[in-house]
Structures are given as C-alpha cells and as structure tokens.
Amino acid sequence: MKKGYLIAIVMLLLLTGCSGKAYSYNPDHSSIFLAKDGTIKSALVEEIDIKAKSEELESFANTEVEDFNMLNAQNQVKLENAGIKKNIAKLIFSYSSFECMEEFAKFTQDNSFDLKSVEVYKLSDIDISRMDSIEIPVGIKGDYIAIIDGKADVYTEGKITFVSNNIEFNDNTAKVDGFNYIIFK
C-alpha cells in the first residue's frame, strides 16, 4: 500500500513538473545569467581566427581569475567553462557579487556588457509598492524580480513572464537597455 502511494506521488511530481523548468546557461553569444539565488554569471563568446586549443584558453582564463582574486579577495570569481568549438571561444565565469563582476570586467577589459547595477529578489521577500519606478501589471505571475540598470543580453534561471519598457523576451532571455526589471518564475 505504501509503495503504491509512493509511486503515485512520484508520478504526480513528474507530471506537474514540481518546481517548474530549471534553465541552464549555455549561451551562444556574450551575455549574463541571473540565478534565483542572486548568483550572477557572464559569458564571453567570440569567433576567433587562430588555431588555439581549449586547454590554452582555459589556462589563460584561469591565470586571469587567479590574478584578479589575489588582488581582491579569494574566490570572488570562478571560471566555470572554457572551450573552443568550430572557431568559437566561450568563457563562462561566476561571481560572488555584481560589484565583483563589474571589477573583473574592468580588470580583463571585457566590454561585452555595460551594467550599472543588477539585483535579484524573491518577490515574496520585498515590498514592490515601496519601490519607485516599478509597477507590475495585474495578472503577471512570477516568483523573482531582477532589477537591472544598463545594457546586456540577460538569461534567467526561470521562465520570464514580464519585462518592463515593452522589451521583447523569449522564454528565459531578454535584451535590456537602460533601467529594466524582469519578472521570472
């Protein structure tokens, strides 16, 4: 009898998608990724002409990360992925904070995004009515809000349900410019 209930619960969870679809970060162009817990990642994706190897790219990127972390605080930046496929080089970094991402971009002369601030909140943890310039239309569903000032291609960990300023979005991606906020599940 207990086994039957367990199987029924597992099937129900599989059919309903329990917590919804989780999105991974595998960008095909330079962008940032915002996780539900506020973690920020960035990708630098560029076409290259030289016959470089993935190992060389990874070694170079690791040296940059180590040099930056030694000048600042250890483990502020981590290299998550480095590789070259069909003359496309891709580097993915994770950061301890937005400020860290901003400083690392200056340190490495990465100009693939131009951001002044990025913050992610769980909607249930904040009072939107006390925030100037943020008005969520009635009926919009979502669990998280990303408040972004600047220009970048943005991926979110969950499905986007709304982006301010009539910015077009698709599934979990949006291209923002200026002050915008993104609601996502």
Side-chain angles (χ1 to χ4, degrees), residues 2 11 15 34 56 65 72 81 97 118 125 171 182-183:
K2 287 182 185 177
M11 292 299 289
L15 291 173
L34 304 176
E56 294 168 338
V65 167
N72 296 285
N81 187 4
S97 67
V118 175
D125 292 344
D171 204 22
I182 298 172
I183 307 295

Side-chain angles (χ1 to χ4, degrees), residues 25 31-33 40-44 91-93 95 101 113:
Y25 187 43
S31 56
I32 66 168
F33 177 81
I40 300 174
K41 298 180 185 182
S42 73
L44 185 58
L91 297 167
I92 298 178
F93 300 97
Y95 307 94
M101 181 176 81
F113 56 85

Side-chain angles (χ1 to χ4, degrees), residues 11-20:
M11 292 299 289
L12 183 62
L13 289 174
L14 290 174
L15 291 173
T16 61
C18 185
S19 62

Side-chain angles (χ1 to χ4, degrees), residues 40-145:
I40 300 174
K41 298 180 185 182
S42 73
L44 185 58
V45 181
E46 303 239 346
E47 186 172 346
I48 59 172
D49 293 333
I50 58 174
K51 298 288 181 198
K53 295 181 175 143
S54 291
E55 297 81 24
E56 294 168 338
L57 179 65
E58 183 175 6
S59 176
F60 174 78
N62 273 324
T63 300
E64 292 285 302
V65 167
E66 288 170 10
D67 290 349
F68 178 81
N69 284 339
M70 280 204 290
L71 291 173
N72 296 285
Q74 287 295 328
N75 301 317
Q76 285 195 1
V77 177
K78 292 181 183 168
L79 176 64
E80 291 204 348
N81 187 4
I84 301 172
K85 284 186 183 176
K86 298 181 181 178
N87 287 356
I88 302 293
K90 183 187 299 189
L91 297 167
I92 298 178
F93 300 97
S94 63
Y95 307 94
S96 60
S97 67
F98 167 73
E99 292 77 18
C100 179
M101 181 176 81
E102 188 176 41
E103 288 301 315
F104 187 68
K106 287 178 189 172
F107 181 79
T108 59
Q109 299 175 3
D110 175 5
N111 61 359
S112 62
F113 56 85
D114 182 19
L115 296 167
K116 295 173 185 70
S117 65
V118 175
E119 298 172 283
V120 177
Y121 300 100
K122 191 169 186 176
L123 276 171
S124 62
D125 292 344
I126 61 171
D127 183 2
I128 294 293
S129 66
R130 301 184 132 217
M131 299 177 113
D132 291 338
S133 305
I134 295 182
E135 192 173 310
I136 302 171
V138 175
I140 296 296
K141 303 282 187 211
D143 300 312
Y144 300 90
I145 184 169

